[in-house]
Amino acid sequence: MKDWTECVVYYPLIRHPLSDEKEKLKRKYVALIKKYAEKYEIEEKRISDLQMLQQALFGEDNTNLARWGYTDHDEEEVLKTRFSRFKFFSYRYLFLFDCLMLFAISDNRKGKHICEEIKRHVHSRYHKKIDTMVSMMYSGDEKFADKTLISIDMVKAWKDARKYSQSRKHSVFFTATMSAGKSTLINSIIGEDLSGTKKAACTSNIIRFHAAPNINDRYTIINADGSQYLKDVRHVQECVRNSTRQIDIVGYFSSVLHEGKYTLVDTPGVDSSLNPQHKELTRKELSDNNPEILVYVIPVETYGSEDDYNHLKYVLKKVLYERIIFVVNMMDTYDPEDDSVEDILQNIRDHLLEIGFENPIVCPVSAKAGLLIKKMVRNTAMTDNERESAENFIKLFSKPEYNLGKYYPLVKNEGDYHSRALLSTGIPGLEQVVFGL
């Protein structure tokens, strides 16, 4: 499996301190950033970050960076000391921050080279402050932004990106029979409708989702040939729907998993009579990659089916996973008058023990409810039908008998009305189980 974790979009979607400046200066700023990218041989995979910076400055990302020329005078203009409203200030420290954020998050040596280059174009009286700022950034001292134009949000973005860059890689493979809600579960962890969930658009190939550390509303799509595109949610959905080959998608996860290099691997359902090749594709993917974490999704209404039994036996005998988590999905459909969550979980544990799994971890969730409520909590754009469904789910999961959060001991049912309902869907708890908390 090719590693795409170095293609993550680090630059956050936040208000940039330079965004209110005149367009002429902003163009010079971006042109100078591009000059540093070329000087330090920044790979094509970082272009997504340059586009994100441009969006933060201009509020859009379709202006052609290549046509903005650069001159030495522009460097002096961007880095000089300014005077406004009876105070002196400079964008040189902001520029230094952006360069390190874009090009040298995990490369201290390259960061120092950038620092030296900037010092060549400013008066020596500012060199000590520039050196100190770089040293503090790489040592984790958040006071590096004091008396600069660097915002609190930018400091947090740097901290999150540094933590991410220093984390180790994790792979999480998802498998299930058809219509178990596997893709919906992945979407609920990410917090967006990226993977196909309708029957007509069910997963037909391998799709890998890679977490990025900072909030943004763009995703980098990487095709099998390595070509990349920075797109919004709607274009990602189209790409996933129309793809006939493996595809990798890099973007922010609205989950604890964004804190590390997590890759979520969506595989086709294994029981399609119309597409028997899906089973072979999934089995090969699971057998060839020895998953670190395997998430097996079981729909609550059909657990114990013959198709599930056969696939579970295959997983037990043929897949060398390090850890397996069984997710009981669609718990919003269970009837508390006829059954209990405790009985359902115990029955499934007993069934898994009979098959041969030792000490199975069984996690109850409602992926659909979790996704819709999470979108409402994040204030993500929703259709009227989605919003209505989310409100109904909030009412349902506010009832004690639907509180799935209590089956995750590390989850505290706190926060506002919507946040408590989200915890009750089991999704935040499952995310912590996958994260290894």
Side-chain angles (χ1 to χ4, degrees):
M1 180 174 65
K2 184 159 179 151
D3 176 32
W4 294 109
T5 56
E6 294 304 318
C7 297
V8 299
V9 179
Y10 287 110
Y11 205 86
L13 182 60
I14 57 179
R15 186 181 182 281
H16 196 279
L18 204 66
S19 59
D20 293 331
E21 267 286 2
K22 294 179 181 179
E23 182 170 324
K24 184 177 180 181
L25 177 61
K26 291 191 290 186
R27 288 197 172 203
K28 290 180 178 180
Y29 189 91
V30 174
L32 187 57
I33 288 280
K34 187 170 180 290
K35 176 232 180 181
Y36 274 64
E38 293 169 349
K39 181 177 180 63
Y40 292 97
E41 300 178 347
I42 305 306
E43 302 89 339
E44 183 70 19
K45 63 193 177 187
R46 306 306 309 167
I47 294 302
S48 293
D49 284 302
L50 288 173
Q51 291 174 334
M52 288 302 298
L53 169 61
Q54 183 178 298
Q55 183 183 0
L57 284 170
F58 294 92
E60 44 80 21
D61 64 348
N62 59 8
T63 307
N64 187 356
L65 281 170
R67 75 167 186 259
W68 294 354
Y70 156 80
T71 68
D72 289 335
H73 177 71
D74 290 341
E75 191 152 12
E76 296 175 5
E77 176 69 14
V78 170
L79 301 178
K80 72 179 184 180
T81 300
R82 300 168 183 275
F83 179 75
S84 176
R85 295 182 182 180
F86 308 105
K87 68 176 181 179
F88 290 96
F89 71 99
S90 174
Y91 291 125
R92 69 176 69 95
Y93 308 107
L94 184 63
F95 181 82
L96 171 60
F97 172 88
D98 280 339
C99 283
L100 299 187
M101 187 75 184
L102 290 167
F103 311 136
I105 286 176
S106 57
D107 192 338
N108 301 34
R109 185 176 179 181
K110 183 177 287 184
K112 290 179 181 178
H113 285 318
I114 292 172
C115 171
E116 293 302 317
E117 177 69 16
I118 291 175
K119 284 161 59 177
R120 287 180 55 234
H121 299 279
V122 301
H123 195 280
S124 59
R125 71 170 64 98
Y126 305 115
H127 289 189
K128 183 177 180 181
K129 182 172 181 179
I130 290 173
D131 287 334
T132 301
M133 176 177 163
V134 172
S135 176
M136 293 174 74
M137 288 180 72
Y138 285 115
S139 67
D141 189 338
E142 297 181 16
K143 293 181 180 179
F144 72 82
D146 290 354
K147 297 180 181 180
T148 68
L149 297 175
I150 300 167
S151 68
I152 295 174
D153 288 339
M154 298 177 89
V155 173
K156 183 180 184 304
W158 171 262
K159 180 180 177 182
D160 290 346
R162 284 282 291 170
K163 181 178 180 181
Y164 176 95
S165 70
Q166 295 167 351
S167 67
R168 73 180 187 89
K169 300 165 188 172
H170 302 274
S171 60
V172 187
F173 287 71
F174 291 74
T175 189
T177 55
M178 288 180 63
S179 303
K182 167 178 52 61
S183 296
T184 302
L185 178 60
I186 292 174
N187 287 342
S188 69
I189 292 172
I190 296 172
E192 283 286 4
D193 298 280
L194 299 183
S195 192
T197 56
K198 296 181 180 178
K199 291 182 188 289
C202 62
T203 306
S204 59
N205 59 349
I206 305 300
I207 306 172
R208 296 187 176 92
F209 300 92
H210 307 273
N214 287 316
I215 296 175
N216 57 69
D217 62 355
R218 295 292 186 271
Y219 296 84
T220 303
I221 300 172
I222 307 161
N223 292 331
D225 62 0
S227 56
Q228 299 177 35
Y229 309 91
L230 190 66
K231 298 293 184 181
D232 60 17
V233 171
R234 180 173 58 84
H235 287 101
V236 173
Q237 293 168 344
E238 292 176 1
C239 190
V240 169
R241 186 163 54 247
N242 298 327
S243 175
T244 58
R245 300 175 65 189
Q246 171 195 315
I247 187 171
D248 289 75
I249 299 168
V250 184
Y252 179 75
F253 292 3
S254 179
S255 162
V256 67
L257 299 186
H258 82 266
E259 296 181 9
K261 295 175 182 174
Y262 278 85
T263 296
L264 310 184
V265 184
D266 195 1
T267 62
V270 296
D271 56 336
S272 172
S273 57
L274 294 175
N275 303 103
Q277 70 273 18
H278 288 184
K279 178 193 291 186
E280 298 308 313
L281 180 62
T282 293
R283 286 187 170 183
K284 186 176 189 307
E285 184 73 10
L286 297 180
S287 299
D288 288 354
N289 287 288
N290 300 337
E292 175 192 356
I293 304 170
L294 180 60
V295 175
Y296 192 109
V297 186
I298 304 171
V300 66
E301 293 186 336
T302 59
Y303 72 85
S305 69
E306 183 177 354
D307 287 329
D308 255 324
Y309 177 82
N310 291 334
H311 191 40
L312 284 165
K313 290 292 287 186
Y314 177 85
V315 167
L316 181 64
K317 293 181 178 180
K318 301 292 185 180
V319 182
L320 297 177
Y321 52 83
E322 293 182 26
R323 189 158 64 105
I324 188 167
I325 301 168
F326 300 95
V327 175
V328 185
N329 193 21
M330 306 181 186
M331 288 298 295
D332 52 284
T333 63
Y334 104 97
D335 188 345
E337 293 186 0
D338 296 331
D339 217 334
S340 71
V341 176
E342 289 81 1
D343 288 343
I344 291 171
L345 299 183
Q346 189 57 55
N347 288 339
I348 293 176
R349 285 193 193 95
D350 292 343
H351 179 59
L352 294 170
L353 287 168
E354 289 177 4
I355 292 174
F357 291 98
E358 297 181 3
N359 303 315
I361 300 171
V362 183
C363 300
V365 303
S366 171
K368 185 176 181 180
L371 172 61
L372 291 175
I373 298 175
K374 182 180 283 189
K375 291 176 74 171
M376 182 171 280
V377 169
R378 291 185 61 203
N379 199 27
T380 303
M382 303 174 70
T383 65
D384 291 340
N385 287 339
E386 285 179 328
R387 189 165 292 278
E388 182 179 353
S389 295
E391 290 172 350
N392 290 333
F393 277 131
I394 288 171
K395 292 178 182 177
L396 181 68
F397 282 94
S398 295
K399 298 178 180 179
E401 58 268 33
Y402 285 92
N403 178 17
L404 305 179
K406 68 182 181 182
Y407 299 98
Y408 301 89
L410 292 178
V411 173
K412 295 182 179 180
N413 201 4
E414 299 174 346
D416 60 21
Y417 183 60
H418 292 173
S419 298
R420 291 197 302 273
L422 175 59
L423 290 172
S424 291
T425 67
I427 293 300
L430 173 63
E431 293 166 356
Q432 291 189 339
V433 172
V434 172
F435 193 67
L437 294 177

